[in-house]
Amino acid sequence: MGRIARHAFLVLEKAWHLEGGTLVDLKVEFGFDTKSNLLLADVIDNDSWRVVESGTYIDKQVYRDGGALDDVVAKYRRVAEITGRFALPRQRIILWRGSVSDKTESFSEALGDLADLMTVVTCSVHKQPVAAAGILYRMAHEIPDSVVIAYIGRSNGAGPTLSAISTVPVITVPATVKDFPDDVWSSLRAPSNVPVMTVLEPANAVLAAIQILSARNPRLYAHVRGEIENRTINSIQI
């Protein structure tokens, strides 16, 4: 129950933050379905939380404090208007590899339940630069809010090249760095106007991409923040 409630709070916290509000607290009720599965079984509305906008409560607190009914109605309408805009953005992680020999399992494993975010592209930027540019432009146009992870073997300069011609963030993961450590310099010593980011571990590259996207996505924010809380909050059961 605690895990589910925290996750719900974090999703709604970010949704409110994106609309300029602050979710202060939240109460929910739980129940069991016909198969004995524990569910968050509640309507989450203006009677379920405390929300602050511009330093003022816009939830049920104004009613509890004896506010005028016109003010109460106005605040409830304001909340209905804002929550009506709650939505998940269209986002994508583009995993770019030079050939089919560049395996992607480690990235899929790192994404876990978020694997639906990833689209794999197989194209050698060195051998097919025009085709690569066309693919990248098209995909960035389809879903502008994307992050590219360039997982490249011998074509270790492909990440910086993609970064130089793209409007979306590019994270490069040198696939051959363990066997050929010098390959990393192709990604680290980039010229001006090439803001490529270099991460050696696939799992960390995935996390970096999720962090970038989570700034605008309540679902991803809850995922990242929840993991942080799990490993940083120390408690002892009594």
Side-chain angles (χ1 to χ4, degrees), residues 21-40:
T22 301
L23 179 62
V24 178
D25 61 26
L26 176 76
K27 69 174 182 65
V28 291
E29 296 182 2
F30 289 83
F32 292 96
D33 65 11
T34 56
K35 297 182 180 179
S36 298
N37 295 311
L38 178 66
L39 302 176
L40 193 161

Side-chain angles (χ1 to χ4, degrees), residues 5 8-9 12 23-30 40-50 60 64:
F9 178 88
L12 293 168
L23 179 62
V24 178
D25 61 26
L26 176 76
K27 69 174 182 65
V28 291
E29 296 182 2
F30 289 83
L40 193 161
D42 201 353
V43 175
I44 302 176
D45 57 15
N46 220 27
D47 291 323
S48 304
W49 55 33
R50 285 184 176 83
K60 63 182 178 183
R64 285 183 169 180

Side-chain angles (χ1 to χ4, degrees), residues 93 95 106-112 114 118 147 149 171 173 199 201-213 223:
I93 295 175
L95 180 59
S106 57
F107 296 92
S108 299
E109 291 174 3
L111 278 166
L114 303 176
M118 188 174 73
V147 177
I149 298 178
I171 303 169
V173 180
V199 179
E201 293 297 328
N204 278 338
V206 167
L207 178 56
I210 293 173
Q211 286 178 329
I212 291 170
L213 297 176
H223 175 84

Side-chain angles (χ1 to χ4, degrees), residues 129-140:
V130 176
I135 293 170
L136 185 57
Y137 289 153
R138 174 179 57 79
M139 297 187 75

Side-chain angles (χ1 to χ4, degrees), residues 90-94 96 119 121 131-148 162-163 165-170:
R90 289 186 69 208
Q91 294 179 314
R92 176 162 55 189
I93 295 175
I94 302 169
W96 197 293
T119 299
V121 173
I135 293 170
L136 185 57
Y137 289 153
R138 174 179 57 79
M139 297 187 75
H141 179 73
E142 289 174 351
I143 304 180
D145 198 356
S146 298
V147 177
V148 175
L162 292 172
S163 178
I165 62 173
S166 175
T167 58
V168 302
V170 177

Side-chain angles (χ1 to χ4, degrees), residues 5-229:
R6 283 196 302 272
H7 186 81
F9 178 88
L10 292 172
V11 170
L12 293 168
E13 177 187 46
K14 188 61 177 181
W16 271 108
H17 177 258
L18 292 172
E19 294 292 339
T22 301
L23 179 62
V24 178
D25 61 26
L26 176 76
K27 69 174 182 65
V28 291
E29 296 182 2
F30 289 83
F32 292 96
D33 65 11
T34 56
K35 297 182 180 179
S36 298
N37 295 311
L38 178 66
L39 302 176
L40 193 161
D42 201 353
V43 175
I44 302 176
D45 57 15
N46 220 27
D47 291 323
S48 304
W49 55 33
R50 285 184 176 83
V51 177
V52 173
E53 183 185 49
S54 302
T56 302
Y57 282 105
I58 57 174
D59 52 73
K60 63 182 178 183
Q61 193 63 37
V62 64
Y63 175 79
R64 285 183 169 180
D65 292 341
L69 290 182
D70 287 347
D71 190 27
V72 174
V73 171
K75 291 183 184 300
Y76 271 59
R77 284 177 176 165
R78 174 63 177 161
V79 169
E81 174 193 349
I82 294 172
T83 55
R85 297 196 294 266
F86 284 1
L88 296 178
R90 289 186 69 208
Q91 294 179 314
R92 176 162 55 189
I93 295 175
I94 302 169
L95 180 59
W96 197 293
R97 61 181 182 175
S99 70
V100 294
S101 62
D102 298 318
K103 303 303 180 183
T104 63
E105 288 80 4
S106 57
F107 296 92
S108 299
E109 291 174 3
L111 278 166
D113 294 340
L114 303 176
D116 60 299
L117 282 172
M118 188 174 73
T119 299
V120 179
V121 173
T122 305
C123 178
S124 172
V125 179
H126 286 184
K127 297 176 183 178
Q128 300 172 286
V130 176
I135 293 170
L136 185 57
Y137 289 153
R138 174 179 57 79
M139 297 187 75
H141 179 73
E142 289 174 351
I143 304 180
D145 198 356
S146 298
V147 177
V148 175
I149 298 178
Y151 186 57
I152 309 298
R154 293 183 180 180
S155 300
N156 51 72
T161 300
L162 292 172
S163 178
I165 62 173
S166 175
T167 58
V168 302
V170 177
I171 303 169
T172 186
V173 180
T176 57
V177 68
K178 291 183 179 180
D179 296 323
F180 303 99
D182 288 344
D183 285 356
V184 74
W185 293 111
S186 297
S187 300
L188 289 177
R189 297 190 63 187
S192 59
N193 299 317
V194 182
V196 67
M197 295 164 277
T198 302
V199 179
L200 299 185
E201 293 297 328
N204 278 338
V206 167
L207 178 56
I210 293 173
Q211 286 178 329
I212 291 170
L213 297 176
S214 71
R216 298 165 298 282
N217 189 320
R219 174 196 180 197
L220 300 185
Y221 170 82
H223 175 84
V224 174
R225 177 72 180 273
E227 290 295 320
I228 291 172
E229 291 190 359

